Amino acid sequence: MNTNVKSSLLLLTLLALALPVVAQQARTYDLQQLLKERKFQVYLPNPYPITDARNQKQGISLTGVAWITGEEFSTGTIEVDLKGYDVFQMSFIGVAFHGVDTTTYDLVYFRPFNFRAEDPVRKIHAVQYVSHPDYTWHRLREEQNGLYEKAVTPAPVATDWFHARIEVGATDVKVYVDHATTPSLVVKKLNTRKTGRIGLWNDGVAGMFANLKITRQ
């Protein structure tokens, strides 16, 4: 092997070693164990454990936001199984991230009662991204209607468990439902926060959560 070839190979090796490596760290969470260890910070009645033997789900039910104590999240993927109710305007369930406190956080949430609504307007209000306190659903619907909320595809039955995969990048958020290869929602983030607290969120009738998995990048 001549000197030029050796030099080229050495240079390529050094360049490869110098390239940044993006490590993915995946962690699954036993929500009932976190509850036992008091690893949730809540501001409404405490979550309680639930077991759905028919669907082989063990998790928790809650109302409000439950921050996971000591957990920070920047970019990566949040996966969780969720179960709401087919009660009009009374079942809202999702995941909060990049949280500062109970009033400042990003949120992806679902309206299960709209999943299979016959009204086409209601149907496109199935999954929502908001950034509290500045960008509420009401403001986004008035100022940028149809951009930050979409229909869910495939559309689950409102009272069934469904799987959500939320991909949070540096500037965008994508939401996939029930292992679909095409996202139901793709939006740009509405703030410059890069990291923050992560928690489970529910409003209205208490929702159910199971099988939380967080992959950090």
Side-chain angles (χ1 to χ4, degrees):
M1 186 180 295
N2 62 45
T3 302
N4 289 335
V5 173
K6 288 182 179 180
S7 298
S8 298
L9 289 174
L10 178 60
L11 180 59
L12 289 173
T13 302
L14 292 174
L15 288 172
L17 292 174
L19 290 174
V21 177
V22 179
Q24 293 189 343
Q25 297 179 330
R27 180 181 175 186
T28 57
Y29 294 79
D30 184 331
L31 298 180
Q32 293 190 355
Q33 187 62 33
L34 291 179
L35 188 61
K36 289 179 182 178
E37 296 175 359
R38 299 183 178 180
K39 292 293 181 67
F40 288 113
Q41 184 177 0
V42 296
Y43 300 91
L44 287 172
N46 285 331
Y48 58 88
I50 59 97
T51 297
D52 183 345
R54 184 171 67 88
N55 292 293
Q56 299 181 331
K57 306 286 186 185
Q58 285 192 326
I60 62 173
S61 180
L62 68 88
T63 297
V65 60
W67 300 111
I68 304 176
T69 303
E71 294 288 336
E72 291 277 321
F73 177 78
S74 298
T75 59
T77 302
I78 306 161
E79 296 183 72
V80 65
D81 292 335
L82 307 156
K83 186 177 184 296
Y85 293 90
D86 193 8
V87 183
F88 183 62
Q89 299 289 36
M90 286 296 293
S91 182
F92 308 88
I93 187 168
V95 175
F97 56 94
H98 292 181
V100 177
D101 50 35
T102 57
T103 61
T104 305
Y105 54 88
D106 281 14
L107 171 65
V108 168
Y109 72 94
F110 299 86
R111 302 180 180 99
F113 53 85
N114 284 339
F115 283 169
R116 297 189 176 185
E118 293 183 3
D119 181 347
V121 175
R122 280 183 52 192
K123 194 169 184 178
I124 63 173
H125 295 164
V127 57
Q128 173 91 54
Y129 164 77
V130 296
S131 182
H132 289 170
D134 295 325
Y135 293 95
T136 64
W137 71 267
H138 187 264
R139 176 181 176 180
L140 292 173
R141 191 175 292 179
E142 282 197 340
E143 297 180 359
Q144 302 182 69
N145 187 34
L147 183 58
Y148 290 93
E149 55 185 335
K150 298 289 185 180
V152 166
T153 305
V157 175
T159 54
D160 283 355
W161 286 94
F162 63 96
H163 182 80
R165 175 185 172 93
I166 303 167
E167 296 182 357
V168 180
T171 60
D172 62 352
V173 177
K174 298 177 183 178
V175 183
Y176 300 79
V177 174
D178 283 342
H179 308 286
T181 57
T182 301
S184 293
L185 183 69
V186 180
V187 294
K188 293 294 183 182
K189 287 182 83 275
L190 289 169
N191 60 74
T192 58
R193 291 191 304 275
K194 300 300 183 183
T195 190
R197 307 177 73 180
I198 185 168
L200 307 176
W201 181 95
N202 185 83
D203 190 22
V205 181
M208 301 181 190
F209 301 80
N211 300 324
L212 177 65
K213 178 182 177 181
I214 300 175
T215 304
R216 293 173 171 85
Q217 291 183 341

